[in-house]
Amino acid sequence: IFKESSENGIEKVFVNGTEIVKDTETGRYKAFVNDGDENPEVKVKTVNEFAYIRIGLLEEEQGESTQNVELRANSKITTIPITVRSQTGVSKVEYLDIEKIFTSSEVDTIVVDEKEVITYEEETKTYVAVVNDESNPHEVFIMSSSTYAVISINEEIGEGNVTTYTDMENEEYEKIIPFTVKSETNETTEYNLKLIKASDNINLKNVYVNDVEVIAEQQGDVTIYRRGIKKLADKAKIKIIPEYPYASVKIGDSAVAVGTAEAWVSLDLREDVITVPIVVTATDGKTVETYNIILTRMSNDTGRIVKYSGNVLVKDEDGNYTETVYTEQTIIPDEQGNYNVYVLDTE
């Protein structure tokens, strides 16, 4: 003979293996889980081992029940009802609140002057935005991936997002603004926002072929750079440094680079004269200029190379070597009346 009990109390509650104590003020159980744990394990034991227990709307079990519950996708707190039914049929409902803790300190979106920033340098955690030099101050909006993260920038603090304004002086072509994102777990990530003034500057500062600087020549409206190469060379190393450090540079078929660009260019052995286009796009996104590097294979019928200031000279149709010299340069002859032109053995 067993005596039926009206006991319908809860002895213990566990979430992901950790015992949860009822809050004496609210009379509810409360647990915390990290964001991403969408199905935490809930275990409940009743005071009376013969009482029946149901977690949420899941299966009713006797004495003890362990279930994986599903948290609400768009809610920070999910409330799980726990129903205990005594042997005499009297039911009592307790509540378990499971709160998500967001650990992310990542950035979701940055908008500068109503334009989303898409350039991000992972190594330095720097976002790069090109801004119009005619507008000042510049509006900066930052939104974190977690609506509960705290963003700090320019002494402005916001939860989930923040808006601030920053000025650029006339002589500034770039400005770096540091900011931080702190998660609910106090994990803090430091970032930079780099503002770059838009410019139409597409000039080149330096051009190198196989580590030797090449001087520009003008052919009408076209700027070219000439360089002699070995007869059987199948590739050449080209390095371009633009005047404006944030102009985009594309060497031949290589990927576009911002600022200094360097690439190895494959050379067709069937071609004696090879043109490598260099396309420079200004930060204003509209101004584009194409420069040409002309590589000329040297003939095998000579055992000597003629150089002037490091540049290999190529014979013209008359068999002469010529080189363009800037008017501000002064060439001083030696004692025999010869100028600074060198004839070296074949490399």
Side-chain angles (χ1 to χ4, degrees):
I1 298 174
F2 296 92
K3 182 179 180 181
E4 290 186 339
S5 171
S6 59
E7 175 61 58
N8 57 8
I10 293 176
E11 181 181 2
K12 291 183 179 180
V13 175
F14 300 85
V15 174
N16 289 336
T18 300
E19 184 174 357
I20 308 302
V21 179
K22 182 188 289 188
D23 189 311
T24 56
E25 293 184 4
T26 64
R28 300 163 76 100
Y29 295 91
K30 187 167 187 177
F32 298 91
V33 298
N34 288 337
D35 180 39
D37 184 1
E38 301 299 330
N39 299 100
E41 181 186 84
V42 177
K43 178 180 177 181
V44 181
K45 294 180 66 176
T46 58
V47 175
N48 179 8
E49 61 179 329
F50 298 107
Y52 292 89
I53 185 166
R54 184 191 300 273
I55 298 174
L57 299 177
L58 301 172
E59 182 182 358
E60 186 179 64
E61 297 180 292
Q62 191 173 41
E64 179 179 308
S65 179
T66 301
Q67 303 286 352
N68 287 96
V69 299
E70 183 176 352
L71 302 185
R72 296 171 60 186
N74 299 317
S75 179
K76 185 172 175 59
I77 298 177
T78 300
T79 298
I80 308 295
I82 302 173
T83 305
V84 179
R85 179 170 60 87
S86 70
Q87 290 177 287
T88 59
V90 178
S91 296
K92 180 180 180 181
V93 180
E94 303 271 15
Y95 294 96
L96 167 63
D97 296 322
I98 301 179
E99 180 175 344
K100 295 179 184 177
I101 299 298
F102 293 85
T103 60
S104 173
S105 57
E106 297 179 354
V107 173
D108 181 81
T109 304
I110 295 183
V111 178
V112 176
D113 294 338
E114 299 183 351
K115 184 178 180 180
E116 184 173 355
V117 180
I118 59 175
T119 302
Y120 178 62
E121 300 170 356
E122 177 66 37
E123 185 176 349
T124 59
K125 294 189 180 300
T126 299
Y127 289 86
V128 181
V130 177
V131 297
N132 191 329
D133 61 354
E134 296 179 358
S135 62
N136 217 16
H138 301 285
E139 183 184 64
V140 177
F141 170 80
I142 302 175
M143 182 170 67
S144 59
S145 59
S146 166
T147 56
Y148 302 97
V150 176
I151 307 170
S152 300
I153 181 172
N154 282 349
E155 299 184 354
E156 301 280 352
I157 298 176
E159 186 175 271
N161 64 81
V162 68
T163 298
T164 187
Y165 295 86
T166 189
D167 290 292
M168 293 186 72
E169 302 296 334
N170 290 333
E171 64 275 9
E172 284 185 303
Y173 68 86
E174 73 169 17
K175 184 172 186 176
I176 297 177
I177 310 168
F179 68 95
T180 61
V181 180
K182 184 172 68 173
S183 72
E184 285 189 281
T185 56
N186 290 323
E187 178 182 344
T188 301
T189 302
E190 298 179 351
Y191 297 93
N192 291 302
L193 173 61
K194 182 187 292 184
L195 303 183
I196 300 171
K197 281 185 179 178
S199 169
D200 61 0
N201 188 340
I202 39 75
N203 298 327
L204 298 185
K205 181 179 180 182
N206 304 99
V207 174
Y208 298 90
V209 176
N210 294 333
D211 298 322
V212 176
E213 186 170 4
V214 185
I215 305 303
E217 300 178 25
Q218 286 298 132
Q219 284 191 350
D221 295 333
V222 181
T223 302
I224 64 172
Y225 295 82
R226 295 184 184 274
R227 175 71 175 154
I229 57 174
K230 293 180 181 180
K231 181 65 177 178
L232 298 178
D234 61 357
K235 61 182 179 179
K237 179 183 177 183
I238 296 178
K239 180 179 180 180
I240 307 295
I241 303 176
E243 273 189 0
Y244 198 72
Y246 297 104
S248 298
V249 179
K250 182 177 176 62
I251 302 173
D253 295 328
S254 65
V256 175
V258 175
T260 299
E262 186 174 304
W264 282 95
V265 177
S266 297
L267 307 176
D268 190 340
L269 291 172
R270 296 169 298 181
E271 300 289 338
D272 287 331
V273 179
I274 301 169
T275 299
V276 181
I278 307 298
V279 180
V280 181
T281 305
T283 53
D284 64 7
K286 299 179 292 185
T287 308
V288 181
E289 183 68 35
T290 299
Y291 302 89
N292 289 322
I293 296 178
I294 299 178
L295 304 176
T296 303
R297 296 187 185 279
M298 294 176 293
S299 174
N300 282 335
D301 63 2
T302 178
R304 296 186 180 276
I305 298 173
V306 179
K307 288 186 177 181
Y308 171 74
S309 296
N311 292 323
V312 175
L313 305 185
V314 181
K315 285 183 181 180
D316 59 21
E317 295 178 353
D318 300 322
N320 298 318
Y321 295 96
T322 61
E323 173 70 349
T324 302
V325 179
Y326 290 116
T327 56
E328 65 266 21
Q329 290 181 312
T330 301
I331 303 177
I332 302 175
D334 58 19
E335 295 178 355
Q336 288 76 37
N338 299 320
Y339 291 88
N340 184 24
V341 177
Y342 300 94
V343 179
L344 306 177
D345 289 336
T346 303
E347 294 180 333

